[in-house]
Amino acid sequence: MPSWEISRMAGYAVGFFMFWGATAFSSALTLLLLQKPAPADAAPPDNDRNAA
């Protein structure tokens, strides 16, 4: 056991934010995996708009 102790309320707060972070991470991963890839025959984006 570590030599330092935290209060029960601090332990609950740390646990809450850990679960909150895990939920946010899983939601972000879901959004990332749900993105549809661009079609293979799509034209590349026009990057010459500001060249003139």
Side-chain angles (χ1 to χ4, degrees):
M1 284 178 87
S3 60
W4 49 270
E5 293 184 23
I6 60 173
S7 69
R8 182 179 297 234
M9 185 69 74
Y12 287 147
V14 169
F16 170 79
F17 284 112
M18 286 178 56
F19 280 110
W20 184 84
T23 303
F25 175 75
S26 68
S27 297
L29 184 62
T30 299
L31 287 175
L32 178 70
L33 293 176
L34 283 177
Q35 290 180 354
K36 295 182 180 179
D41 60 347
D46 184 17
N47 291 330
D48 295 333
R49 284 186 279 172
N50 297 329

